Amino acid sequence: MEENPFREGLTRRRTPEPCTIVLFGASGDLTQRKLLPALYNLAGEGLLPPKIGIIGFARRPKSDEQFRSEMAQAIQKHARRFEEGEPLWEEFSDSIVYHSASFEDAAGYASLAKKIEELERRLGLPPNRLFYLATAPEHFATIVRNLDAAGLVSDSRSGGAGWSRVVIEKPFGRDLESARALNRELYEALDERQIFRIDHYLGKETVQNLLALRFANGIFEPLWNQKYVEHVQITVAEDIGVEGRGGYYDQAGVLRDMVQNHMLQVLSLVGMEPPAALEADAIRDEKVKVLRAVRRIRPREVDQSVVRGQYAEGSILGHAVPGYRQEEGVPADSRTETFVALLLHVENWRWAGVPFLLRSGKRLPKRASEVCIQFKKPPLHLFGDEAAGSVSPNALVINVQPDEGISLRFGAKVPGPDIELRPVKMDFRYGTSFGMPSPEAYERLLLDAMAGDSTLFTRRDEVEAAWTIVTDILEGWKQSNAEPYPYAAGTWGPEEAEKLVSGVEGTWRRL
């Protein structure tokens, strides 16, 4: 019997080799809220290698003991379970040390190399190193260049022992030109197989489940095309504002912060063709094809296909909140968008003519992320004119957060003597169906990086294809010099976004 590559991919799991993880930006929020708690959760589940070393790298001087104490507090607050003094923490904390140096100081990397070797000798670790760059993007190239100069990113393929990999956080560039420049700088020191560009959205269980939903079920994939799908909506909504990060956010905006990475990655998973195997390059090959098939929005066409907004003062859950321009660190005349809606078209045989509607924003009524596949409406006059005008089309909704799951909406007859149709839903929820919470995205991604599995990490051509789409829009905004449309905090964005759904069956979903 011929082997099924999908089944083989789903059941195969590489166990990571013992290694040393160096966390650059160890004093930062990401390390304390996500990375160390994720590693501790993995340790608690027995998924980490039998031996592991962890080195925190940051500018601020502190002792190993002080760093361990800070990490204990962070893990206690953010990990699934933690008790100081328990055997798991005692063993885990013994592997944690701290190294103080600036990212620009070459001598600091020479002393880092010595510290890594000392830790490897003490713990009996092979020379396998994972460098995680949880820093501001302007430090990425500097850190990699200094790691290379210190001989810390040589790989077994070049004759060295063990392996070395570098995980790079977003944002990966500010536009197409800067992304290409960063890729060129990384390639001076690293091979593509050593670079793990992380997008934590790809680690979310529901996003990963898109592959299983589509390719492991015979009922969906035959309908997953322009013959049956009316349109696709992808929404990432946040009810929070800039949360004290006004200075950073004003240099980014929601198009760079959410659309270029998270949302276009989800679009590529929704739109991709079946890969030849569940392997990194096979999957990423198909994702790139989708991004390259997206019809470019030329700068002069931006106003017809993109709407940007900026939140004004309003209320969230009954509490008054300030407008974006009143936030700390935000210029009073800022034109940075906090909301964006896009109408995209994927010009290939599967999706030609199907609108892809994307929107994301801050200070919206609730925090929610979902993908909605709305199917074409059948002829309903058989059930009367009222049903034809009022029954909602069938829809498959993938809830990414916060209530991870999938629901299917279809029409059913209301009990009684009359023929009356009403939409009903079939729901699947991870928590109730499997009796366990979904793991944090960073747990899966860290585990894969240690195992050398780059399936859920973005490749160079993926990054550049996504930036090609976004850079055209940024250039259009620059040329038009128009103000973003205001919208009151606590609403679903500016009314002008409605023009993107004119001619589409249905409206923007109210989550």
Side-chain angles (χ1 to χ4, degrees):
M1 181 177 176
E2 191 173 337
E3 289 188 1
N4 185 332
F6 291 108
R7 178 173 178 80
E8 181 183 311
L10 287 167
T11 55
R12 185 176 62 248
R13 182 79 200 161
R14 284 184 60 183
T15 302
E17 299 173 330
C19 62
T20 300
I21 302 172
V22 181
L23 300 172
F24 287 87
S27 298
D29 186 60
L30 179 61
T31 296
Q32 298 191 28
R33 283 194 311 110
K34 296 293 184 181
L35 302 183
L36 255 299
L39 288 169
Y40 192 73
N41 287 337
L42 290 171
E45 299 290 336
L47 295 174
L48 283 184
K51 294 181 180 180
I52 191 171
I54 300 171
I55 301 176
F57 188 116
R59 291 186 177 91
R60 194 176 306 157
K62 63 184 71 171
S63 66
D64 292 347
E65 290 72 22
Q66 183 182 354
F67 182 62
R68 288 178 188 135
S69 176
E70 291 173 0
M71 293 305 103
Q73 295 175 32
I75 290 170
Q76 185 172 22
K77 185 175 181 180
H78 299 292
R80 283 195 287 274
R81 66 177 186 84
F82 173 81
E83 288 184 27
E84 199 160 4
E86 67 177 351
L88 177 61
W89 169 248
E90 293 301 320
E91 182 179 353
F92 185 80
S93 63
D94 185 55
S95 67
I96 299 176
V97 296
Y98 183 78
H99 183 71
S100 174
S102 74
F103 300 142
E104 299 80 15
D105 180 17
Y109 292 81
S111 55
L112 173 65
K114 293 179 181 177
K115 179 158 286 190
I116 291 173
E117 291 168 2
E118 290 171 2
L119 188 63
E120 288 171 346
R121 280 195 300 270
R122 177 167 70 84
L123 299 178
L125 295 168
N128 297 327
R129 289 90 179 254
L130 181 71
F131 300 98
Y132 197 114
L133 276 53
T135 69
E138 60 264 26
H139 301 304
F140 294 163
T142 300
I143 292 171
V144 171
R145 195 160 45 244
N146 280 315
L147 286 171
D148 184 39
L152 287 169
V153 288
S154 60
D155 195 75
S156 58
R157 285 178 294 278
S158 59
W163 50 255
S164 56
R165 300 173 187 134
V166 178
V167 180
I168 299 178
E169 271 286 344
K170 76 174 186 73
F172 196 91
R174 286 185 48 80
D175 52 24
L176 179 58
E177 183 180 351
S178 60
R180 283 174 170 166
L182 180 54
N183 276 323
R184 285 194 298 269
E185 289 184 277
L186 295 179
Y187 280 176
E188 291 178 6
L190 302 168
D191 183 275
E192 174 64 36
R193 288 170 290 186
Q194 294 176 271
I195 303 171
F196 287 71
R197 302 171 189 83
I198 197 167
D199 183 341
H200 76 270
Y201 242 61
L202 295 182
K204 291 183 178 294
E205 199 69 38
T206 321
V207 174
Q208 296 172 49
N209 202 43
L210 273 167
L211 293 177
L213 177 72
R214 289 188 57 189
F215 304 132
N217 296 286
I219 61 174
F220 295 124
E221 185 58 22
L223 308 179
W224 212 268
N225 56 60
Q226 47 82 25
K227 185 176 180 181
Y228 298 102
V229 175
E230 161 66 29
H231 69 263
V232 177
Q233 285 192 35
I234 303 174
T235 300
V236 178
E238 297 181 286
D239 55 3
I240 60 172
V242 293
E243 302 294 290
R245 298 165 64 237
Y248 159 76
Y249 194 85
D250 202 63
Q251 299 300 311
V254 70
L255 188 68
R256 288 185 173 99
D257 193 49
M258 295 298 294
V259 176
Q260 185 275 329
N261 39 74
H262 301 335
M263 299 188 76
L264 289 180
Q265 283 293 311
V266 173
L267 182 150
S268 67
L269 287 170
V270 171
M272 65 186 279
E273 296 297 320
L278 286 184
E279 296 173 354
D281 280 336
I283 291 173
R284 296 190 295 182
D285 286 345
E286 299 304 332
K287 288 168 62 186
V288 170
K289 290 177 186 177
V290 176
L291 295 175
R292 288 177 174 166
V294 172
R295 183 198 303 165
R296 294 179 66 173
I297 302 173
R298 302 297 178 179
R300 64 181 180 276
E301 304 166 340
V302 165
D303 289 342
Q304 286 73 52
S305 300
V306 183
V307 172
R308 60 173 170 164
Q310 187 184 88
Y311 66 82
E313 60 184 20
S315 65
I316 301 288
L317 298 176
H319 299 286
V321 295
Y324 176 71
R325 293 181 180 181
Q326 286 75 55
E327 300 277 14
E328 182 181 353
V330 175
D333 60 349
S334 172
R335 291 181 177 177
T336 299
E337 78 287 355
T338 62
F339 172 94
V340 68
L342 302 89
L343 172 60
L344 300 179
H345 292 274
V346 180
E347 299 288 8
N348 59 20
W349 284 95
R350 181 184 288 265
W351 295 113
V354 177
F356 280 74
L357 294 158
L358 280 63
R359 63 174 171 168
S360 180
K362 289 187 174 293
R363 290 296 190 204
L364 301 185
K366 66 182 295 186
R367 172 179 173 263
S369 299
E370 69 160 40
V371 178
C372 175
I373 313 296
Q374 181 166 308
F375 296 96
K376 291 184 176 179
K377 206 170 184 178
L380 292 170
H381 288 284
L382 176 67
F383 301 98
D385 292 340
E386 185 177 342
S390 62
V391 174
S392 301
N394 303 139
L396 181 68
V397 178
I398 299 100
N399 299 301
V400 178
Q401 64 180 20
D403 301 317
E404 295 182 321
I406 300 169
S407 65
L408 178 65
R409 183 179 69 201
F410 58 95
K413 178 186 174 298
V414 177
D418 298 324
I419 300 295
E420 180 184 352
L421 301 181
R422 186 175 299 170
V424 295
K425 289 199 300 183
M426 294 175 62
D427 285 326
F428 152 70
R429 290 289 178 268
Y430 274 89
T432 55
S433 295
F434 296 117
M436 58 167 57
S438 297
E440 288 287 328
Y442 279 99
E443 294 176 36
R444 171 67 188 272
L445 295 171
L446 281 165
L447 202 61
D448 283 359
M450 285 185 274
D453 183 348
S454 55
T455 303
L456 300 179
F457 297 83
T458 51
R459 202 169 59 190
R460 174 180 183 164
D461 49 358
E462 283 185 82
V463 171
E464 295 183 4
W467 271 123
T468 299
I469 298 166
V470 167
T471 299
D472 285 339
I473 298 170
L474 292 170
E475 185 60 31
W477 286 346
K478 184 179 178 181
Q479 292 178 14
S480 72
N481 208 29
E483 294 270 344
Y485 296 108
Y487 64 96
T491 65
W492 283 105
E495 293 180 0
E496 287 76 8
E498 296 299 324
K499 73 178 184 182
L500 300 184
V501 294
S502 62
V504 174
E505 176 69 45
T507 61
W508 288 109
R509 286 173 52 79
R510 298 295 186 258
L511 278 62

